Amino acid sequence: MFDIGPEQWTAVALSLRVSVVATACALPFGIAIGWLLARRKFWGKTLLDGIVHLPLVLPPVVTGYLLLISFGRRGPVGAFLYEHLGIVFSFRWTGAALSCGVMGFPLMIRPIRLSIEAVDRRLEDAAATLGANRFLVFLTVTLPLAAPGVIAGTLLCFARALGEFGATITFVSNIPGETQTISAAIYTLTQIPGGDAAAGRLVVVAIMLSLAALLASEWFARRAALRVHGE
Amino acid sequence: MSVLAVEVEKVLGTLKLAVRFQAAGGATALFGPSGAGKTSTVNMIAGLLRPDRGRIALDDTVLFDASAGIDVPPHRRRIGYVFQDGRLFPHLSVRQNLDYGRRMSGHPRDAGALDRIIALLDIGHLLERRPRMLSGGERQRIAIGRALLMRPRLLLLDEPLAALDAARKREILPYLVRLRDEAGVPIVYVSHIAAELARIATHVVCLNCGHVVATDGVDLLKDGDADAFA
């Protein structure tokens, strides 16, 4: 069942790397924006909420195109990052991680926001009277109590990143060893005569990885919930 | 000797709160019917609610002064607050709850203080439990211990017995009396039950509809429950 070639294994390894990096980089933003949306009132909040959720409803090709024109080497953001920080996204695995992170972000934000909203603010007040400044209140009360949602959001984002196709292939193309993730490899195999069998084997790998991510999410979230509520 | 001086105004919906009183050492009762503005008043002392106007000072520290633009945030006021509903942190053990204030203010560990308070409140056997596994009375004792262990300059108790049945109330009251006599921290105690306050208070401030209607010794409580003032 696993007699798939080295090229396919490369795609699997690349997918994992891209998804891990995408999720890890999205997490601080996810927590910060989740907190903003849950706890703050500010001008343009609805707009921010809308923009964050846009990748969920836009055709992935459109998200990929928008990334291409803004984060491409000649795009305004891409050019700035290249000139000042030497970061290149176009046609690199980092670009795949960016598009996967953007696509997974709405799935990450939602559970984080909901779980922060559910944290009892009276506990935060109690922490403040005990000498904790705002940041410490967040770190020692809000975040631990919101942990089940943070974990669920993280793993959903990871699972989404693992399966990303449209935005990634539009933004960074389909280069074996650089930007060819599992999905792109499966697509490529289905386009060549006799590639169906190899594609099928990669499909099995993709299903197993996604299932494992979902199960892990469930398990971690349940464990965190137990910890939060005591016993 | 005046310890706490409060003179605040705050509009809360239809209630116009204008409270002015001073509290010395010992236990000062804030007494009055529900909706009189007692909890709002202690929230303003703790810094959880911002007065519209006025001034709050503790010893020689100004905690709030609207005209001078002073508003010390709650985490720097060092005022212990025991809430009606305890508000223990559910994700921490009793020991971690007790230790929370010390950790947040970065004081060194003080085993002596911890032992004293554990003995005062009889909570030694509860330390490894989670708040969920405690009875209502135990929970309030931990909440009192947690507030004391942050070494407060003032202790606010907002109806700490309200959520308890009569038997639990009888269980806690002696601890509160001990607290007043032994902890050496001035107390502001909110309640609408005269009998409860008669045991604890040394001085009484009566509130009704957002105003102080009387201040005196515990004799004020003779007329019975706060609804008599309504």
Side-chain angles (χ1 to χ4, degrees):
Chain A
M1 182 164 112
F2 289 114
D3 51 346
I4 54 179
E7 274 165 53
Q8 278 89 54
W9 277 124
T10 308
V12 172
L14 182 73
S15 268
L16 286 173
R17 174 160 47 137
V18 162
S19 305
V20 167
V21 169
T23 308
C25 293
L27 189 57
F29 294 100
I31 291 172
I33 296 180
W35 180 81
L36 272 180
L37 291 175
R39 281 294 150 87
R40 294 264 123 182
K41 281 188 191 139
F42 51 93
W43 190 89
K45 179 172 168 173
T46 318
L47 187 68
L48 177 67
D49 197 22
I51 290 173
V52 162
H53 284 90
L54 215 50
L56 205 60
V57 289
L58 277 180
V61 184
V62 172
T63 306
Y65 174 80
L66 292 173
L67 286 172
L68 186 64
I69 57 166
S70 50
F71 283 89
R73 191 79 80 89
R74 266 181 265 156
V77 187
F80 177 85
L81 288 174
Y82 176 65
E83 274 165 36
H84 293 90
L85 300 167
I87 298 174
V88 177
F89 287 113
S90 42
F91 306 111
R92 301 279 174 85
W93 72 270
T94 47
L98 176 65
S99 63
C100 288
V102 168
M103 293 301 288
F105 202 63
L107 291 175
M108 171 182 271
I109 276 286
R110 209 175 162 70
I112 292 180
R113 176 191 180 162
L114 288 176
S115 61
I116 290 178
E117 271 171 356
V119 172
D120 191 344
R121 301 187 79 152
R122 295 172 311 163
L123 290 175
E124 297 175 351
D125 279 349
T129 66
L130 288 163
N133 63 34
R134 273 193 172 177
F135 181 67
L136 283 172
V137 169
F138 178 76
L139 218 60
T140 59
V141 176
T142 319
L143 198 56
L145 289 175
V150 174
I151 292 166
T154 303
L155 281 141
L156 276 173
C157 176
F158 178 78
R160 180 75 187 82
L162 214 48
E164 219 302 301
F165 175 70
T168 307
I169 207 164
T170 311
F171 180 30
V172 291
S173 182
N174 184 3
I175 306 162
E178 187 67 41
T179 64
Q180 190 178 73
T181 57
I182 296 182
S183 316
I186 292 171
Y187 173 74
T188 308
L189 284 168
T190 58
Q191 299 303 300
I192 54 172
D196 291 3
R201 288 189 288 269
L202 264 186
V203 164
V204 172
V205 174
I207 291 173
M208 290 197 314
L209 283 177
S210 305
L211 203 58
L214 279 177
L215 290 177
S217 140
E218 197 65 21
W219 187 77
F220 277 117
R222 204 168 295 173
R223 242 179 64 117
L226 281 181
R227 236 188 77 80
V228 166
H229 301 301
E231 301 310 300
Chain B
M1 173 193 73
S2 143
V3 175
L4 174 71
V6 178
E7 188 185 345
V8 289
E9 287 177 37
K10 172 94 186 165
V11 177
L12 292 160
T14 54
L15 181 71
K16 274 199 189 121
L17 202 68
V19 177
R20 181 176 185 169
F21 71 93
Q22 302 212 328
T28 304
L30 267 188
F31 178 61
S34 329
K38 304 185 297 291
T39 297
S40 301
T41 303
V42 286
N43 277 343
M44 287 191 274
I45 297 170
L48 299 177
L49 184 68
R50 198 175 189 282
D52 297 334
R53 264 186 298 282
R55 189 170 186 278
I56 299 169
L58 182 57
D59 296 321
D60 42 14
T61 320
V62 178
L63 297 176
F64 179 85
D65 190 332
S67 47
I70 297 171
D71 186 8
V72 177
H75 69 270
R76 285 208 239 111
R77 292 197 180 193
R78 274 190 54 213
I79 294 179
Y81 197 155
V82 178
F83 300 88
Q84 186 173 340
D85 47 359
R87 302 197 195 175
L88 299 181
F89 303 122
H91 58 301
L92 301 178
S93 68
V94 165
R95 185 189 290 280
Q96 291 167 318
N97 265 284
L98 290 171
D99 203 32
Y100 188 85
R102 183 198 62 77
R103 265 174 58 217
M104 291 305 117
S105 42
H107 293 304
R109 216 173 269 279
D110 182 350
L114 185 63
D115 291 343
R116 261 198 313 283
I117 289 189
I118 287 173
L120 177 78
L121 297 165
D122 256 330
I123 48 178
H125 58 297
L126 305 171
L127 294 181
E128 304 313 321
R129 294 202 201 162
R130 285 297 191 92
R132 224 162 90 114
M133 312 303 281
L134 303 175
S135 72
E138 289 168 341
R139 223 171 278 167
Q140 282 312 66
R141 266 145 67 196
I142 306 301
I144 293 167
R146 182 177 72 170
L148 280 177
L149 277 165
M150 62 164 295
R151 290 193 269 161
R153 297 185 292 177
L154 172 73
L155 192 61
L156 305 172
L157 296 151
D158 183 15
E159 307 247 12
L161 308 184
L164 308 178
D165 59 40
R168 293 284 89 73
K169 278 182 188 164
R170 278 198 297 278
E171 169 198 324
I172 302 259
L173 269 170
Y175 292 111
L176 293 176
V177 173
R178 256 162 93 181
L179 182 70
R180 179 195 67 197
D181 298 337
E182 293 174 26
V185 181
I187 293 172
V188 172
Y189 192 108
V190 169
S191 179
H192 63 282
I193 296 164
E196 190 181 314
L197 288 171
R199 290 276 309 271
I200 297 158
T202 50
H203 185 75
V204 179
V205 176
C206 287
L207 277 185
N208 195 10
C209 298
H211 292 269
V212 174
V213 290
T215 55
D216 206 342
V218 278
D219 298 348
L220 266 180
L221 299 167
K222 276 187 188 149
D223 293 339
D225 278 4
D227 303 315
F229 291 88

